Each structure stands twice: as C-alpha cells, then as structure tokens.
Amino acid sequence: MADSTCVKDVQEDLTDDQIQQLLLEAETRLRAPNALSTQTDDLASLRIPKLSPGSSLESYIRQGDDVATVDAAKITNQKQKELANSLRAVEIKKANTDKPTAGPEWFNLPKTEMTPELKRDLQLIRMRSVLDPKRHYKKENGKAKPPEYSQVGTIIEGPTEFFSNRITKKDRKKNFVEETLALERGTKRFQAKYRDIQANKSSGKKSFYKDLQAKRTRKNK
C-alpha cells in the first residue's frame, strides 16, 4: 500500500515534458541493438581489395656510390618523349598583299582611304595659315590633291618628356578639328577677329553715322 502511494506521488510530480523525455530514451534503448546490427552489416558489405606484392611500384631513383640517379625511362613514356622532341609544323600567316602599298622603301604605307574625318583634317591642314597668324607657310599652287598613300598615327611622347611636352588626357582630342575647336574656346581669337572685320566694314557707312548721331544725342541729354 505504501509502495503504490509512493509511485502515485512520483507520477504526480513528473511533468509532460519529462515523461516525453523518458519515452524517447526508452525508444532509443530499444533501437540500439538494431543499429549495431545494421552497422555491422554495412561493414561486412565493404570489400577491401587484397594487395598484390608482385605489382608494387618501382622507384625511379637509384642509389649508388653515394649518388642518386634518376631513371628517365620510368618517368616519361617513350611515346610522349618522341612527341616532345619532334618538330611541329606551325602555320605562318602571310601578310595581306592584295591591298596596294607604297612599297618597302616607304615602309609599306597603305593607300589613302578617304573618309569624312580624314577629309576634314586635310582641309584644316590646307588652311593652317589661318589658325596661327604668327606662322607662315608656303602657298599651294592650284587645287591641292590628297596624298595617294598615307597613314594617320598618334605621336607618343618619350619618358623624358613627361612634364615638358606631355598632353594631358583632358586636352587630348581625336582629330585636328576637335583640337582646333577646343583651342578656339580657350583663346576666342576668331570671335575677336570677326568683330574687328565687322567694325572695319561698318566704318564710314550709314551705320557709322547712326552710331555718331546716337552718341551726340546722349551727350546733349
């Protein structure tokens, strides 16, 4: 009677979580023999191949007279060795000789391909005397023709001219026209020249007298 009362008190003290934990532990204890048998079955199913001492690897280093020598025949295959020592034919791409050039004496300059950009640059070169009034160039006789063979390149400064003659990336342009327009934005020389020409044209004419009369009327007021 006393034992049943003690068991009843223990059951009343256990919570639901504790009872669930006890059930899980009992279940794991029941499954333990099955788990061990499964593990032993898996180990038994593994088949480890037997080592054959007759087909062991031979060392390619031989020791003799305190000197180690290497057997090259065991390192590389004979077929691979022959392939490495053989000469392989390399296809050399020949230069395209279909396009006409100026010849080897002129460094094979290609024939001039007239594009709109090149045409504008050539026109600007012909009018170079207008760009800088302090420089004088020889006048061209007759209508100038574009060169038959030409090539456009970029002048690259040397390493010693980094601070003296180097053009910054901000000032670099793609062609002559862009360089001229950028120079004009900075100097505005053509605008000043245009104003001088217009002033000379209007002097001594009707507009000149109109300006003179306007000045007199302002003074009289």
Side-chain angles (χ1 to χ4, degrees), residues 30-95:
L30 290 173
R31 290 182 178 180
N34 296 329
L36 291 173
S37 62
T38 306
Q39 188 174 4
T40 53
D41 293 340
D42 293 339
L43 291 174
S45 62
L46 293 175
R47 293 182 180 179
I48 300 173
K50 295 181 179 180
L51 297 176
S52 57
S55 61
S56 60
L57 296 175
E58 296 181 2
S59 177
Y60 58 88
I61 299 176
R62 295 179 181 177
Q63 191 76 23
D65 298 333
D66 297 333
V67 177
T69 57
V70 178
D71 191 0
K74 294 181 180 179
I75 297 176
T76 57
N77 191 5
Q78 186 65 24
K79 188 176 181 181
Q80 294 178 354
K81 190 175 181 181
E82 292 176 358
L83 184 62
N85 294 331
S86 62
L87 296 176
R88 186 178 62 180
V90 179
E91 184 179 356
I92 301 173
K93 293 183 179 180
K94 295 182 179 179

Short mmCIF file of all heavy atoms in Angstrom, two decimals, residues 30-95:
data_model
loop_
_atom_site.label_atom_id
_atom_site.label_comp_id
_atom_site.label_asym_id
_atom_site.label_seq_id
_atom_site.Cartn_x
_atom_site.Cartn_y
_atom_site.Cartn_z
N LEU A 30 15.72 0.66 -27.07
CA LEU A 30 15.18 -0.49 -27.80
C LEU A 30 15.78 -0.60 -29.21
O LEU A 30 15.94 -1.69 -29.73
CB LEU A 30 13.66 -0.37 -27.89
CG LEU A 30 12.89 -0.58 -26.57
CD1 LEU A 30 11.42 -0.26 -26.75
CD2 LEU A 30 13.05 -2.02 -26.08
N ARG A 31 16.07 0.54 -29.81
CA ARG A 31 16.60 0.53 -31.18
C ARG A 31 18.11 0.31 -31.23
O ARG A 31 18.67 0.12 -32.30
CB ARG A 31 16.28 1.85 -31.87
CG ARG A 31 14.80 2.02 -32.19
CD ARG A 31 14.56 3.32 -32.92
NE ARG A 31 13.16 3.48 -33.28
CZ ARG A 31 12.67 4.54 -33.93
NH1 ARG A 31 13.49 5.51 -34.29
NH2 ARG A 31 11.39 4.61 -34.21
N ALA A 32 18.78 0.37 -30.12
CA ALA A 32 20.24 0.26 -30.11
C ALA A 32 20.74 -1.06 -30.69
O ALA A 32 21.66 -1.07 -31.51
CB ALA A 32 20.76 0.47 -28.69
N PRO A 33 20.23 -2.22 -30.37
CA PRO A 33 20.73 -3.47 -30.98
C PRO A 33 20.54 -3.50 -32.48
O PRO A 33 21.41 -3.98 -33.22
CB PRO A 33 19.90 -4.54 -30.27
CG PRO A 33 19.46 -3.91 -29.00
CD PRO A 33 19.24 -2.46 -29.33
N ASN A 34 19.40 -2.97 -32.96
CA ASN A 34 19.17 -2.94 -34.41
C ASN A 34 20.19 -2.05 -35.11
O ASN A 34 20.67 -2.35 -36.20
CB ASN A 34 17.75 -2.45 -34.70
CG ASN A 34 16.70 -3.42 -34.17
OD1 ASN A 34 16.95 -4.62 -34.11
ND2 ASN A 34 15.55 -2.89 -33.76
N ALA A 35 20.54 -0.92 -34.47
CA ALA A 35 21.51 -0.02 -35.06
C ALA A 35 22.88 -0.66 -35.15
O ALA A 35 23.60 -0.53 -36.13
CB ALA A 35 21.59 1.28 -34.24
N LEU A 36 23.25 -1.40 -34.08
CA LEU A 36 24.54 -2.08 -34.11
C LEU A 36 24.59 -3.15 -35.17
O LEU A 36 25.59 -3.33 -35.87
CB LEU A 36 24.83 -2.68 -32.72
CG LEU A 36 25.11 -1.68 -31.59
CD1 LEU A 36 25.19 -2.41 -30.26
CD2 LEU A 36 26.40 -0.92 -31.87
N SER A 37 23.48 -3.88 -35.33
CA SER A 37 23.46 -4.93 -36.35
C SER A 37 23.53 -4.34 -37.76
O SER A 37 24.19 -4.88 -38.64
CB SER A 37 22.19 -5.77 -36.19
OG SER A 37 21.04 -4.95 -36.38
N THR A 38 22.87 -3.17 -37.95
CA THR A 38 22.92 -2.52 -39.27
C THR A 38 24.33 -2.05 -39.58
O THR A 38 24.82 -2.17 -40.71
CB THR A 38 21.95 -1.33 -39.30
OG1 THR A 38 20.66 -1.77 -38.91
CG2 THR A 38 21.89 -0.71 -40.68
N GLN A 39 25.02 -1.51 -38.58
CA GLN A 39 26.39 -1.04 -38.78
C GLN A 39 27.33 -2.19 -39.11
O GLN A 39 28.20 -2.07 -39.97
CB GLN A 39 26.86 -0.29 -37.54
CG GLN A 39 28.20 0.42 -37.72
CD GLN A 39 28.55 1.25 -36.51
OE1 GLN A 39 27.82 1.23 -35.52
NE2 GLN A 39 29.65 1.96 -36.59
N THR A 40 27.14 -3.31 -38.45
CA THR A 40 28.00 -4.47 -38.73
C THR A 40 27.72 -5.02 -40.12
O THR A 40 28.63 -5.47 -40.82
CB THR A 40 27.76 -5.56 -37.67
OG1 THR A 40 26.35 -5.83 -37.59
CG2 THR A 40 28.26 -5.10 -36.31
N ASP A 41 26.44 -4.96 -40.55
CA ASP A 41 26.11 -5.43 -41.91
C ASP A 41 26.77 -4.54 -42.96
O ASP A 41 27.26 -5.03 -43.99
CB ASP A 41 24.59 -5.43 -42.10
CG ASP A 41 23.92 -6.48 -41.22
OD1 ASP A 41 24.63 -7.42 -40.78
OD2 ASP A 41 22.70 -6.35 -40.96
N ASP A 42 26.80 -3.21 -42.72
CA ASP A 42 27.43 -2.30 -43.67
C ASP A 42 28.93 -2.56 -43.76
O ASP A 42 29.52 -2.52 -44.84
CB ASP A 42 27.17 -0.85 -43.26
CG ASP A 42 25.70 -0.48 -43.37
OD1 ASP A 42 24.98 -1.18 -44.12
OD2 ASP A 42 25.27 0.49 -42.71
N LEU A 43 29.56 -2.82 -42.62
CA LEU A 43 30.99 -3.10 -42.64
C LEU A 43 31.29 -4.41 -43.33
O LEU A 43 32.32 -4.55 -44.01
CB LEU A 43 31.53 -3.13 -41.20
CG LEU A 43 31.55 -1.78 -40.46
CD1 LEU A 43 31.95 -1.98 -39.01
CD2 LEU A 43 32.51 -0.82 -41.14
N ALA A 44 30.40 -5.36 -43.18
CA ALA A 44 30.61 -6.66 -43.83
C ALA A 44 30.46 -6.57 -45.34
O ALA A 44 31.08 -7.32 -46.09
CB ALA A 44 29.64 -7.69 -43.25
N SER A 45 29.58 -5.63 -45.78
CA SER A 45 29.36 -5.50 -47.23
C SER A 45 30.55 -4.85 -47.94
O SER A 45 30.69 -4.97 -49.15
CB SER A 45 28.09 -4.68 -47.49
OG SER A 45 28.24 -3.37 -46.95
N LEU A 46 31.38 -4.10 -47.21
CA LEU A 46 32.54 -3.47 -47.82
C LEU A 46 33.59 -4.52 -48.14
O LEU A 46 33.93 -5.36 -47.30
CB LEU A 46 33.14 -2.42 -46.88
CG LEU A 46 32.28 -1.18 -46.60
CD1 LEU A 46 32.95 -0.31 -45.55
CD2 LEU A 46 32.07 -0.39 -47.88
N ARG A 47 34.09 -4.45 -49.36
CA ARG A 47 35.10 -5.40 -49.80
C ARG A 47 36.39 -4.65 -50.07
O ARG A 47 36.46 -3.80 -50.96
CB ARG A 47 34.64 -6.13 -51.06
CG ARG A 47 33.44 -7.03 -50.82
CD ARG A 47 33.07 -7.77 -52.09
NE ARG A 47 31.92 -8.65 -51.87
CZ ARG A 47 31.37 -9.40 -52.84
NH1 ARG A 47 31.88 -9.36 -54.07
NH2 ARG A 47 30.34 -10.17 -52.57
N ILE A 48 37.38 -4.91 -49.31
CA ILE A 48 38.68 -4.27 -49.48
C ILE A 48 39.54 -5.16 -50.36
O ILE A 48 39.71 -6.34 -50.08
CB ILE A 48 39.36 -4.05 -48.11
CG1 ILE A 48 38.47 -3.15 -47.24
CG2 ILE A 48 40.74 -3.41 -48.29
CD1 ILE A 48 38.95 -3.00 -45.82
N PRO A 49 40.04 -4.61 -51.48
CA PRO A 49 40.86 -5.46 -52.36
C PRO A 49 42.17 -5.85 -51.69
O PRO A 49 42.75 -5.10 -50.91
CB PRO A 49 41.10 -4.55 -53.58
CG PRO A 49 40.94 -3.17 -53.05
CD PRO A 49 39.91 -3.24 -51.97
N LYS A 50 42.60 -7.01 -52.03
CA LYS A 50 43.85 -7.51 -51.47
C LYS A 50 45.03 -6.92 -52.23
O LYS A 50 44.98 -6.71 -53.44
CB LYS A 50 43.89 -9.03 -51.56
CG LYS A 50 42.84 -9.71 -50.70
CD LYS A 50 42.95 -11.22 -50.82
CE LYS A 50 41.91 -11.91 -49.95
NZ LYS A 50 42.00 -13.39 -50.04
N LEU A 51 46.08 -6.64 -51.49
CA LEU A 51 47.29 -6.09 -52.09
C LEU A 51 48.12 -7.22 -52.68
O LEU A 51 48.33 -8.25 -52.04
CB LEU A 51 48.10 -5.34 -51.04
CG LEU A 51 47.43 -4.10 -50.43
CD1 LEU A 51 48.32 -3.52 -49.33
CD2 LEU A 51 47.18 -3.05 -51.49
N SER A 52 48.56 -6.98 -53.92
CA SER A 52 49.41 -7.98 -54.56
C SER A 52 50.85 -7.49 -54.50
O SER A 52 51.20 -6.46 -55.07
CB SER A 52 48.98 -8.17 -56.02
OG SER A 52 49.03 -6.94 -56.71
N PRO A 53 51.71 -8.17 -53.80
CA PRO A 53 53.10 -7.69 -53.66
C PRO A 53 53.88 -7.75 -54.96
O PRO A 53 54.89 -7.08 -55.12
CB PRO A 53 53.69 -8.65 -52.61
CG PRO A 53 52.85 -9.87 -52.70
CD PRO A 53 51.47 -9.42 -53.06
N GLY A 54 53.40 -8.51 -55.94
CA GLY A 54 54.16 -8.63 -57.19
C GLY A 54 54.08 -7.38 -58.05
O GLY A 54 54.99 -7.09 -58.82
N SER A 55 52.98 -6.61 -57.98
CA SER A 55 52.80 -5.44 -58.84
C SER A 55 53.04 -4.14 -58.08
O SER A 55 52.31 -3.18 -58.24
CB SER A 55 51.38 -5.44 -59.40
OG SER A 55 50.44 -5.36 -58.34
N SER A 56 54.01 -4.12 -57.20
CA SER A 56 54.31 -2.90 -56.44
C SER A 56 55.05 -1.91 -57.33
O SER A 56 55.69 -2.28 -58.32
CB SER A 56 55.15 -3.24 -55.21
OG SER A 56 56.36 -3.84 -55.62
N LEU A 57 54.96 -0.63 -56.99
CA LEU A 57 55.60 0.42 -57.76
C LEU A 57 57.11 0.39 -57.54
O LEU A 57 57.59 0.22 -56.42
CB LEU A 57 55.05 1.80 -57.35
CG LEU A 57 53.57 2.04 -57.62
CD1 LEU A 57 53.15 3.39 -57.04
CD2 LEU A 57 53.28 1.99 -59.10
N GLU A 58 57.80 0.58 -58.65
CA GLU A 58 59.26 0.61 -58.58
C GLU A 58 59.74 2.05 -58.50
O GLU A 58 59.21 2.93 -59.18
CB GLU A 58 59.85 -0.08 -59.81
CG GLU A 58 59.51 -1.56 -59.90
CD GLU A 58 60.13 -2.20 -61.13
OE1 GLU A 58 60.85 -1.47 -61.85
OE2 GLU A 58 59.90 -3.39 -61.35
N SER A 59 60.72 2.28 -57.72
CA SER A 59 61.26 3.63 -57.57
C SER A 59 62.07 4.01 -58.80
O SER A 59 62.78 3.18 -59.38
CB SER A 59 62.14 3.70 -56.32
OG SER A 59 62.72 4.98 -56.21
N TYR A 60 61.94 5.28 -59.22
CA TYR A 60 62.70 5.76 -60.38
C TYR A 60 64.02 6.41 -59.96
O TYR A 60 64.74 6.96 -60.78
CB TYR A 60 61.87 6.76 -61.19
CG TYR A 60 61.40 7.96 -60.41
CD1 TYR A 60 62.19 9.10 -60.31
CD2 TYR A 60 60.16 7.96 -59.78
CE1 TYR A 60 61.76 10.20 -59.60
CE2 TYR A 60 59.73 9.05 -59.07
CZ TYR A 60 60.53 10.18 -58.98
OH TYR A 60 60.10 11.27 -58.27
N ILE A 61 64.33 6.36 -58.67
CA ILE A 61 65.60 6.89 -58.17
C ILE A 61 66.47 5.73 -57.73
O ILE A 61 66.03 4.87 -56.95
CB ILE A 61 65.37 7.87 -57.00
CG1 ILE A 61 64.52 9.06 -57.47
CG2 ILE A 61 66.70 8.35 -56.43
CD1 ILE A 61 64.16 10.02 -56.37
N ARG A 62 67.66 5.69 -58.23
CA ARG A 62 68.61 4.64 -57.88
C ARG A 62 69.74 5.24 -57.05
O ARG A 62 70.25 6.30 -57.36
CB ARG A 62 69.18 3.99 -59.14
CG ARG A 62 68.13 3.24 -59.96
CD ARG A 62 68.75 2.65 -61.20
NE ARG A 62 67.77 1.94 -62.01
CZ ARG A 62 68.04 1.38 -63.18
NH1 ARG A 62 69.28 1.44 -63.67
NH2 ARG A 62 67.09 0.75 -63.85
N GLN A 63 70.07 4.53 -56.00
CA GLN A 63 71.13 4.98 -55.10
C GLN A 63 72.36 4.11 -55.33
O GLN A 63 72.30 2.89 -55.27
CB GLN A 63 70.66 4.86 -53.64
CG GLN A 63 71.57 5.53 -52.64
CD GLN A 63 71.42 7.04 -52.66
OE1 GLN A 63 70.40 7.55 -53.07
NE2 GLN A 63 72.46 7.74 -52.22
N GLY A 64 73.46 4.76 -55.61
CA GLY A 64 74.69 4.02 -55.81
C GLY A 64 75.90 4.91 -55.65
O GLY A 64 75.96 6.00 -56.25
N ASP A 65 76.86 4.45 -54.85
CA ASP A 65 78.10 5.19 -54.60
C ASP A 65 77.81 6.60 -54.08
O ASP A 65 78.40 7.60 -54.54
CB ASP A 65 78.96 5.26 -55.87
CG ASP A 65 79.39 3.89 -56.33
OD1 ASP A 65 79.49 2.99 -55.47
OD2 ASP A 65 79.61 3.72 -57.55
N ASP A 66 76.89 6.67 -53.15
CA ASP A 66 76.51 7.94 -52.52
C ASP A 66 75.99 8.97 -53.53
O ASP A 66 76.03 10.18 -53.28
CB ASP A 66 77.71 8.55 -51.76
CG ASP A 66 78.16 7.64 -50.62
OD1 ASP A 66 77.29 6.89 -50.11
OD2 ASP A 66 79.34 7.70 -50.24
N VAL A 67 75.54 8.49 -54.67
CA VAL A 67 74.99 9.39 -55.70
C VAL A 67 73.63 8.84 -56.13
O VAL A 67 73.51 7.65 -56.45
CB VAL A 67 75.93 9.50 -56.92
CG1 VAL A 67 75.31 10.38 -57.99
CG2 VAL A 67 77.27 10.08 -56.49
N ALA A 68 72.63 9.70 -56.14
CA ALA A 68 71.29 9.30 -56.56
C ALA A 68 71.11 9.62 -58.03
O ALA A 68 71.34 10.75 -58.47
CB ALA A 68 70.24 10.04 -55.73
N THR A 69 70.73 8.62 -58.81
CA THR A 69 70.48 8.81 -60.24
C THR A 69 69.01 8.56 -60.54
O THR A 69 68.35 7.77 -59.86
CB THR A 69 71.35 7.85 -61.07
OG1 THR A 69 71.07 6.50 -60.66
CG2 THR A 69 72.83 8.15 -60.87
N VAL A 70 68.52 9.22 -61.57
CA VAL A 70 67.11 9.13 -61.96
C VAL A 70 67.01 8.34 -63.25
O VAL A 70 67.74 8.60 -64.21
CB VAL A 70 66.51 10.54 -62.14
CG1 VAL A 70 65.05 10.44 -62.58
CG2 VAL A 70 66.62 11.34 -60.85
N ASP A 71 66.11 7.39 -63.26
CA ASP A 71 65.85 6.59 -64.45
C ASP A 71 64.78 7.31 -65.27
O ASP A 71 63.59 7.31 -64.93
CB ASP A 71 65.38 5.19 -64.06
CG ASP A 71 65.35 4.26 -65.26
OD1 ASP A 71 65.70 4.72 -66.38
OD2 ASP A 71 64.97 3.08 -65.10
N ALA A 72 65.19 7.96 -66.36
CA ALA A 72 64.26 8.77 -67.15
C ALA A 72 63.22 7.91 -67.86
O ALA A 72 62.13 8.38 -68.18
CB ALA A 72 65.03 9.60 -68.18
N ALA A 73 63.53 6.66 -68.13
CA ALA A 73 62.59 5.79 -68.83
C ALA A 73 61.35 5.52 -68.01
O ALA A 73 60.27 5.26 -68.55
CB ALA A 73 63.27 4.48 -69.21
N LYS A 74 61.47 5.55 -66.68
CA LYS A 74 60.32 5.28 -65.82
C LYS A 74 59.49 6.54 -65.54
O LYS A 74 58.38 6.46 -65.06
CB LYS A 74 60.80 4.69 -64.49
CG LYS A 74 61.44 3.32 -64.64
CD LYS A 74 61.86 2.77 -63.30
CE LYS A 74 62.50 1.39 -63.45
NZ LYS A 74 62.94 0.85 -62.14
N ILE A 75 60.06 7.71 -65.82
CA ILE A 75 59.33 8.96 -65.56
C ILE A 75 58.40 9.30 -66.71
O ILE A 75 57.21 9.58 -66.52
CB ILE A 75 60.32 10.11 -65.30
CG1 ILE A 75 61.15 9.82 -64.05
CG2 ILE A 75 59.59 11.44 -65.15
CD1 ILE A 75 62.21 10.84 -63.78
N THR A 76 58.92 9.26 -67.92
CA THR A 76 58.13 9.63 -69.10
C THR A 76 57.97 8.43 -70.01
O THR A 76 58.85 7.58 -70.12
CB THR A 76 58.82 10.77 -69.87
OG1 THR A 76 60.14 10.36 -70.24
CG2 THR A 76 58.89 12.03 -69.03
N ASN A 77 56.84 8.43 -70.68
CA ASN A 77 56.56 7.38 -71.65
C ASN A 77 57.37 7.64 -72.92
O ASN A 77 57.64 8.79 -73.29
CB ASN A 77 55.07 7.35 -71.96
CG ASN A 77 54.69 6.11 -72.75
OD1 ASN A 77 55.52 5.24 -72.98
ND2 ASN A 77 53.44 6.05 -73.16
N GLN A 78 57.74 6.58 -73.61
CA GLN A 78 58.54 6.74 -74.83
C GLN A 78 57.76 7.48 -75.91
O GLN A 78 58.32 8.30 -76.65
CB GLN A 78 58.96 5.35 -75.33
CG GLN A 78 59.91 5.38 -76.52
CD GLN A 78 61.25 6.00 -76.18
OE1 GLN A 78 61.66 6.00 -75.02
NE2 GLN A 78 61.93 6.52 -77.18
N LYS A 79 56.47 7.25 -75.98
CA LYS A 79 55.64 7.93 -76.98
C LYS A 79 55.56 9.43 -76.71
O LYS A 79 55.67 10.26 -77.62
CB LYS A 79 54.25 7.31 -76.99
CG LYS A 79 53.36 7.80 -78.12
CD LYS A 79 52.04 7.07 -78.11
CE LYS A 79 51.16 7.55 -79.26
NZ LYS A 79 49.84 6.84 -79.26
N GLN A 80 55.41 9.78 -75.44
CA GLN A 80 55.37 11.19 -75.08
C GLN A 80 56.72 11.86 -75.29
O GLN A 80 56.80 13.03 -75.67
CB GLN A 80 54.94 11.33 -73.62
CG GLN A 80 53.51 10.90 -73.35
CD GLN A 80 53.14 11.01 -71.90
OE1 GLN A 80 53.99 11.31 -71.06
NE2 GLN A 80 51.87 10.76 -71.58
N LYS A 81 57.79 11.12 -75.06
CA LYS A 81 59.13 11.67 -75.27
C LYS A 81 59.37 11.96 -76.74
O LYS A 81 59.94 13.00 -77.11
CB LYS A 81 60.17 10.67 -74.74
CG LYS A 81 61.57 11.22 -74.68
CD LYS A 81 62.50 10.23 -74.02
CE LYS A 81 63.92 10.78 -73.95
NZ LYS A 81 64.84 9.81 -73.32
N GLU A 82 58.94 11.06 -77.62
CA GLU A 82 59.10 11.29 -79.06
C GLU A 82 58.25 12.48 -79.52
O GLU A 82 58.67 13.26 -80.37
CB GLU A 82 58.69 10.03 -79.82
CG GLU A 82 59.65 8.86 -79.61
CD GLU A 82 59.17 7.60 -80.31
OE1 GLU A 82 58.07 7.66 -80.91
OE2 GLU A 82 59.88 6.58 -80.26
N LEU A 83 57.06 12.61 -78.94
CA LEU A 83 56.20 13.73 -79.31
C LEU A 83 56.79 15.06 -78.87
O LEU A 83 56.69 16.08 -79.57
CB LEU A 83 54.81 13.54 -78.68
CG LEU A 83 53.75 14.58 -79.04
CD1 LEU A 83 53.47 14.57 -80.53
CD2 LEU A 83 52.47 14.33 -78.26
N ALA A 84 57.46 15.07 -77.71
CA ALA A 84 58.06 16.31 -77.22
C ALA A 84 59.29 16.70 -78.03
O ALA A 84 59.55 17.89 -78.24
CB ALA A 84 58.43 16.16 -75.74
N ASN A 85 60.05 15.72 -78.50
CA ASN A 85 61.26 16.02 -79.25
C ASN A 85 61.01 16.25 -80.74
O ASN A 85 61.91 16.70 -81.45
CB ASN A 85 62.27 14.88 -79.09
CG ASN A 85 62.76 14.76 -77.65
OD1 ASN A 85 62.82 15.75 -76.94
ND2 ASN A 85 63.11 13.55 -77.23
N SER A 86 59.82 15.95 -81.21
CA SER A 86 59.53 16.11 -82.63
C SER A 86 59.23 17.57 -82.95
O SER A 86 58.87 18.37 -82.08
CB SER A 86 58.34 15.23 -83.03
OG SER A 86 57.19 15.63 -82.32
N LEU A 87 59.39 17.94 -84.20
CA LEU A 87 59.12 19.29 -84.68
C LEU A 87 57.68 19.38 -85.14
O LEU A 87 57.19 18.51 -85.87
CB LEU A 87 60.07 19.66 -85.82
CG LEU A 87 61.56 19.72 -85.46
CD1 LEU A 87 62.38 19.99 -86.72
CD2 LEU A 87 61.81 20.80 -84.43
N ARG A 88 57.01 20.44 -84.71
CA ARG A 88 55.62 20.63 -85.09
C ARG A 88 55.52 21.74 -86.13
O ARG A 88 56.13 22.80 -85.98
CB ARG A 88 54.79 21.00 -83.86
CG ARG A 88 53.30 21.08 -84.13
CD ARG A 88 52.55 21.40 -82.86
NE ARG A 88 52.94 22.68 -82.32
CZ ARG A 88 52.43 23.22 -81.21
NH1 ARG A 88 51.54 22.54 -80.52
NH2 ARG A 88 52.85 24.39 -80.79
N ALA A 89 54.78 21.47 -87.16
CA ALA A 89 54.63 22.45 -88.23
C ALA A 89 53.71 23.58 -87.77
O ALA A 89 52.60 23.33 -87.29
CB ALA A 89 54.04 21.79 -89.48
N VAL A 90 54.21 24.80 -87.87
CA VAL A 90 53.45 25.98 -87.45
C VAL A 90 53.03 26.75 -88.69
O VAL A 90 53.86 27.05 -89.56
CB VAL A 90 54.28 26.88 -86.52
CG1 VAL A 90 53.49 28.10 -86.11
CG2 VAL A 90 54.72 26.10 -85.29
N GLU A 91 51.77 27.05 -88.76
CA GLU A 91 51.25 27.78 -89.91
C GLU A 91 51.50 29.28 -89.71
O GLU A 91 51.02 29.88 -88.74
CB GLU A 91 49.75 27.52 -90.06
CG GLU A 91 49.15 28.17 -91.30
CD GLU A 91 47.67 27.87 -91.42
OE1 GLU A 91 47.15 27.11 -90.58
OE2 GLU A 91 47.04 28.42 -92.34
N ILE A 92 52.27 29.86 -90.59
CA ILE A 92 52.61 31.28 -90.50
C ILE A 92 51.66 32.05 -91.41
O ILE A 92 51.54 31.76 -92.61
CB ILE A 92 54.07 31.52 -90.91
CG1 ILE A 92 55.01 30.73 -89.99
CG2 ILE A 92 54.40 33.01 -90.87
CD1 ILE A 92 56.45 30.78 -90.40
N LYS A 93 50.99 33.02 -90.81
CA LYS A 93 50.07 33.84 -91.59
C LYS A 93 50.85 34.88 -92.38
O LYS A 93 51.62 35.67 -91.82
CB LYS A 93 49.08 34.54 -90.66
CG LYS A 93 48.13 33.57 -89.96
CD LYS A 93 47.13 34.32 -89.11
CE LYS A 93 46.17 33.36 -88.43
NZ LYS A 93 45.18 34.09 -87.59
N LYS A 94 50.67 34.86 -93.65
CA LYS A 94 51.35 35.81 -94.52
C LYS A 94 50.60 37.13 -94.54
O LYS A 94 49.39 37.18 -94.35
CB LYS A 94 51.47 35.25 -95.93
CG LYS A 94 52.34 34.01 -96.03
CD LYS A 94 52.46 33.54 -97.46
CE LYS A 94 53.34 32.31 -97.56
NZ LYS A 94 53.45 31.83 -98.96
N ALA A 95 51.36 38.18 -94.75
CA ALA A 95 50.74 39.50 -94.81
C ALA A 95 49.86 39.60 -96.05
O ALA A 95 50.15 39.02 -97.11
CB ALA A 95 51.81 40.58 -94.83
#
